[in-house]
Amino acid sequence: MSILPYLVLSALLFTVGTIGVIVKKNIIAIFLCIELMLNGANLSFVAFSSYLNQVHGQVFVFFVMVVAAAEAAVGLAITIAIYRNRNTLSVDDADIMKW
Amino acid sequence: MMLFYLLGTIALAAAVNVVAQRRVFYSALFLIICLCALSGLYMLLQAPFIAAVQVIVYAGAIMVLFLFVIMLLDPFSAVPLSEKKRYLGYLGIAMGTATLVLLVPFLLSYDLSRVPRNVTGMAAGTGITRRIGETIFKEYLLPFEVTSVLILVAIIGAVILGKKKI
């Protein structure tokens, strides 16, 4: 079977994640959408790994998962710190780095 | 092929719901459904190890961390989009659709037959997990060890950020 449907599904998942990152206002929701984008990329990796009969793609998915775990831990710690200091979860209220 | 469309539809519908839901808690629950459907797709692609890791690490550990923080902070908060600049939301959807319009024709026009394949290499079943292990600990040994440093940094960072006074 061709892997093209998998690649298209991967692109769709990535796009939905991108839209979520742009549209969402809640910090945690944006994090969830980033996870969605990572999973879209992972699906591409595994599809190519299956198509090329090589395990390198699966090894990369493994590393992506490790990075996602580290990112989630640090990101959620930052979220808690922001909530403590500002009592909000909206990204529009955490914009002092803009200036 | 049937199974692919079933799982793909579940994954896509759950993904759309992650974005469409107003409450973060429901978004997280839909993301778990999406991750489990993706795990099924990995099984279809003969990647049982990745499928297992997806359920155990992603849907298990990482999403529990997310749900834990959501419950800790603000269980049923819904930051309404309406009080913000609404045109930004439409602009985001337009930009995302533009990304898709760029991506999909590129994929469709991509000639996969030109990519050199390793036809004899991989046997189905448990041998793949063994080969992943060999690849990680031989070819990717240094990146694997650097990963442990990354996780250590993440742990220290999370502990310091979690302190009372920052």
Side-chain angles (χ1 to χ4, degrees), chain B residues 13 26-27 40 43 45 51-52 57 67 79 85-86 90 115 130 165:
Chain B
Y26 297 141
S27 286
M43 285 303 282
L45 284 166
V57 175
L67 287 175
V79 182
K85 294 165 188 150
R86 208 178 164 86
Y90 294 126
V115 184
R130 185 197 177 109
K165 218 50 181 144

Side-chain angles (χ1 to χ4, degrees), chain A residues 24-85:
Chain A
K24 285 289 191 177
K25 305 287 178 194
N26 191 311
I27 298 178
I28 299 177
I30 289 177
F31 263 118
L32 293 172
C33 292
I34 290 175
E35 300 289 326
L36 211 53
M37 290 169 77
L38 286 172
N39 273 284
N42 276 355
L43 184 61
S44 237
F45 269 127
V46 176
F48 271 110
S49 161
S50 160
Y51 177 75
L52 300 174
N53 281 320
Q54 287 184 343
V55 289
H56 297 264
Q58 298 186 27
V59 173
F60 265 88
V61 170
F62 184 71
F63 284 128
V64 169
M65 281 179 182
V66 171
V67 172
E71 172 239 324
V74 176
L76 289 171
I78 292 174
T79 308
I80 292 178
I82 290 177
Y83 189 74
R84 270 212 199 109
N85 285 323

Side-chain angles (χ1 to χ4, degrees), chain A residues 1 3-9 11-13 15-16 19-20 22-26 28-29 31-33 35-36 38-39 42-43 46-56 58-63 65-70 72-74 76-81 83-85 89-90 92, chain B residues 1 4 8 12 15 18-19 21 24 27-28 31 34-35 38 41-42 44-47 50 53-54 58 62-63 65-66 69-70 72-74 77 81 84 89 92-93 96 100 103 107-108 112 115-119 122 128 132 135-136 139-140 143-144 147 150-151 154 158 161-163 166:
Chain A
M1 175 193 149
I3 58 163
L4 205 58
Y6 289 95
L7 295 181
V8 173
L9 177 63
L12 281 166
L13 284 176
T15 311
V16 172
I19 292 175
I22 299 172
V23 170
K24 285 289 191 177
K25 305 287 178 194
N26 191 311
I28 299 177
F31 263 118
L32 293 172
C33 292
E35 300 289 326
L36 211 53
L38 286 172
N39 273 284
N42 276 355
L43 184 61
V46 176
F48 271 110
S49 161
S50 160
Y51 177 75
L52 300 174
N53 281 320
Q54 287 184 343
V55 289
H56 297 264
Q58 298 186 27
V59 173
F60 265 88
V61 170
F62 184 71
F63 284 128
M65 281 179 182
V66 171
V67 172
V74 176
L76 289 171
I78 292 174
T79 308
I80 292 178
Y83 189 74
R84 270 212 199 109
N85 285 323
L89 282 178
S90 170
D92 290 347
Chain B
M1 203 61 207
F4 166 78
L12 201 58
V18 170
V19 178
Q21 289 290 330
V24 199
S27 286
L31 187 59
C34 181
L35 294 177
L38 278 174
L41 286 175
Y42 294 157
L44 282 183
L45 284 166
Q46 276 119 35
I50 295 299
V53 169
Q54 174 93 356
Y58 238 123
I62 298 181
M63 290 316 293
L65 187 66
F66 268 99
V69 171
I70 292 170
L72 187 70
L73 291 185
D74 214 2
S77 82
L81 204 61
K84 315 285 177 188
I93 293 171
L100 191 68
L103 267 177
L107 285 176
L108 291 176
L112 276 172
V115 184
R117 293 178 70 178
N118 177 14
V119 196
M122 202 148 69
I128 293 175
I132 291 175
T135 314
I136 287 178
E139 213 169 323
Y140 291 96
F144 183 74
T147 297
L150 174 75
I151 292 188
L161 284 169
K163 274 186 175 175
I166 185 155

Side-chain angles (χ1 to χ4, degrees), chain A residues 63 66-67 69-71 74, chain B residues 141-158:
Chain A
F63 284 128
V66 171
V67 172
E71 172 239 324
V74 176
Chain B
L141 184 60
L142 183 64
F144 183 74
E145 297 296 336
V146 172
T147 297
S148 63
V149 179
L150 174 75
I151 292 188
L152 181 66
V153 171
I155 293 170
I156 295 172

